[in-house]
Amino acid sequence: MNPNIFTEAQMEDRTIQLSEVMAAHTALRERITEKQGFDPETIDWKSAKRDRGFWKKLEESSGEIMREANASSSLGQLLRYGVQSFMFDAYKDVQTVYQDIVQVVSSSNRQEWYAPLYGAEIPLEVTPGTPYEDSRIMGLDTVLVNKKVGRILSIQKELFDDDQTGQVSTRASKLGKRVRYKEEFDVMTAIRAASYSATTIGNRPAAYVALSQAALEAADIALNGIRDPLGNRMGVDPSLLLVSTSEKFNAAKLLNSTLNPSVPGASGQTAGSASSGDISGMMAFNPLAGLYDLRVSKFLGAGDWMLMEPKTSIPFQERSPLSVVQEDPNSGRSFDQDIYRWKVSRRYATTVLESRYIYAGNINATAPII
């Protein structure tokens, strides 16, 4: 094996070690700046060489800083800094798709009220001498209560001190990662729940069907013609196809093929291909090419697919961002048992206000477990 080639695990360990060194370097730099009143990375060292008093003071304060770094409480702060960095990095880097589907809204209370109104009724022709007809107003009334999610991570001091592989830091990063997973899971759960609505409103077929060209075209037509409770067209603009991992490649073929991706007369047959004037032969242009954005979520059931207008009816209510807090190393279990403890927490809420913006082509009865 080439000694200059590292495995993925080795590269990850070196990245973790480098991050820890950089964190310690930053902490030391900040402490010197606080003690000396200057930033060691910006000072003019050539001029400082001639000042003996400067070097003596720097030596004394540097020794004091290093002694502080070896104290238990300072070690705890340094370790906390490293774990927090990994948590936030993992939180940002997890690949989730719900951000492209929801509309993020701020919240400053325990709950928020949503009362969107449907469009006004279409004006009617009025003949001379006859009264105008009244237009009705109808809307929704929804209260969305923020919830709190969180977890505690406990690590023995000896385990952290003696860890040479970076596995402890990796474990800490996964706690932040799971918060992101939880958010995605909650959004997909809300979409699945809303998609069980009755077929009479036009946002699902009479019986769920597998994803195909014909099914996707039927979903688009249905959404464009869907009406609100007053009987008016809602003007839904379907632009995003959301699928489970089991439909990832099937959806990619439907949306990215240059030529017709379906075989005429088979499951992909369209109304035109069944007539004498065949408009969807094997060499025909693919009408679905580039028509929708494709998003794949790990938290949908096998075979799930939905066509929707995103960022319209699904609020993601932000009450407080991801928070990581360490227990004081000199109190509680940290003091009694030499255990470092971190708590991760988050407050938010999400729901589907109006399911008419989502066409559920298929919903698997078995939902994934987080």
Side-chain angles (χ1 to χ4, degrees):
M1 180 177 178
N2 189 336
N4 296 322
I5 298 178
F6 299 103
T7 66
E8 183 177 350
Q10 289 173 328
M11 288 299 295
E12 182 177 356
D13 291 344
R14 287 176 178 268
T15 300
I16 291 173
Q17 293 167 6
L18 178 60
S19 298
E20 292 174 343
V21 171
M22 292 300 295
H25 169 78
T26 301
L28 182 59
R29 175 185 173 185
E30 292 176 349
R31 196 71 181 101
I32 291 176
T33 302
E34 178 185 353
K35 285 283 186 179
Q36 294 289 343
F38 65 83
D39 187 340
E41 293 193 5
T42 61
I43 188 174
D44 183 0
W45 291 104
K46 291 183 178 180
S47 300
K49 286 182 179 180
R50 297 187 292 268
D51 187 351
R52 294 185 178 180
F54 166 82
W55 288 101
K56 183 178 180 180
K57 183 178 179 182
L58 177 61
E59 181 181 2
E60 292 175 352
S61 61
S62 297
E64 181 182 351
I65 291 171
M66 295 307 296
R67 288 191 296 272
E68 291 176 354
N70 290 326
S72 175
S73 59
S74 296
L75 177 62
Q77 295 296 323
L78 179 59
L79 293 177
R80 180 184 69 174
Y81 179 89
V83 173
Q84 283 181 333
S85 297
F86 284 116
M87 284 185 175
F88 282 102
D89 287 344
Y91 177 86
K92 291 185 297 182
D93 294 340
V94 175
Q95 295 182 353
T96 52
V97 301
Y98 76 89
Q99 298 93 336
D100 299 324
I101 299 172
V102 302
Q103 180 179 3
V104 179
V105 296
S106 299
S107 173
S108 57
N109 299 290
R110 173 182 175 272
Q111 71 279 324
E112 302 293 341
W113 285 263
Y114 295 85
L117 297 177
Y118 294 105
E121 293 182 288
I122 303 298
L124 302 175
E125 182 179 354
V126 181
T127 58
T130 60
Y132 292 86
E133 290 193 21
D134 290 332
S135 178
R136 297 168 296 173
I137 295 179
M138 183 177 293
L140 303 172
D141 187 7
T142 304
V143 177
L144 190 54
V145 180
N146 291 305
K147 66 179 180 180
K148 179 170 66 175
V149 300
R151 208 75 187 249
I152 289 181
L153 172 67
S154 300
I155 299 178
Q156 293 180 352
K157 178 180 180 296
E158 293 80 6
L159 177 62
F160 208 117
D161 292 346
D162 299 338
D163 177 34
Q164 301 297 319
T165 65
Q167 294 183 66
V168 174
S169 297
T170 301
R171 180 187 176 190
S173 72
K174 290 182 179 179
L175 187 61
K177 187 175 184 178
R178 291 301 184 266
V179 176
R180 203 65 154 179
Y181 280 4
K182 174 61 175 173
E183 295 170 2
E184 175 102 352
F185 176 81
D186 288 345
V187 171
M188 297 306 154
T189 299
I191 292 175
R192 284 173 52 86
S195 299
Y196 283 108
S197 55
T199 59
T200 54
I201 67 173
N203 72 333
R204 52 159 289 186
Y208 288 131
V209 294
L211 179 63
S212 68
Q213 182 174 343
L216 191 52
E217 291 174 358
D220 189 296
I221 294 171
L223 280 181
N224 276 280
I226 203 164
R227 297 178 181 271
D228 63 24
L230 296 174
N232 300 312
R233 291 183 182 272
M234 295 182 61
V236 178
D237 181 20
S239 59
L240 186 143
L241 177 61
L242 177 64
V243 302
S244 64
T245 53
S246 64
E247 295 292 345
K248 174 180 178 179
F249 296 103
N250 187 19
K253 293 172 186 177
L254 289 174
L255 300 185
N256 297 318
S257 298
T258 302
L259 302 178
N260 178 36
S262 305
V263 179
S267 60
Q269 185 183 51
T270 65
S273 64
S275 63
S276 57
D278 192 345
I279 61 172
S280 60
M282 289 299 294
M283 298 301 292
F285 168 74
N286 177 19
L288 300 177
L291 196 58
Y292 313 111
D293 292 327
L294 175 61
R295 296 294 182 270
V296 182
S297 177
K298 299 177 179 65
F299 294 107
L300 292 175
D304 285 3
W305 68 273
M306 301 93 168
L307 183 65
M308 65 177 66
E309 178 180 329
K311 298 185 180 292
T312 301
S313 63
I314 311 176
F316 188 89
Q317 191 168 280
E318 292 265 13
R319 181 62 182 92
S320 60
L322 175 68
S323 172
V324 182
V325 180
Q326 183 195 13
E327 183 179 61
D328 187 346
N330 294 320
S331 65
R333 293 178 61 187
S334 298
F335 181 79
D336 294 342
Q337 304 176 32
D338 282 339
I339 294 177
Y340 295 127
R341 304 179 76 213
W342 290 267
K343 179 179 69 178
V344 59
S345 63
R346 178 92 156 91
R347 286 188 68 193
Y348 64 90
T350 187
T351 190
V352 175
L353 296 176
E354 175 52 86
S355 60
R356 287 176 173 84
Y357 289 94
I358 305 171
Y359 187 96
N362 186 59
I363 299 294
N364 191 326
T366 303
I369 300 174
I370 193 169

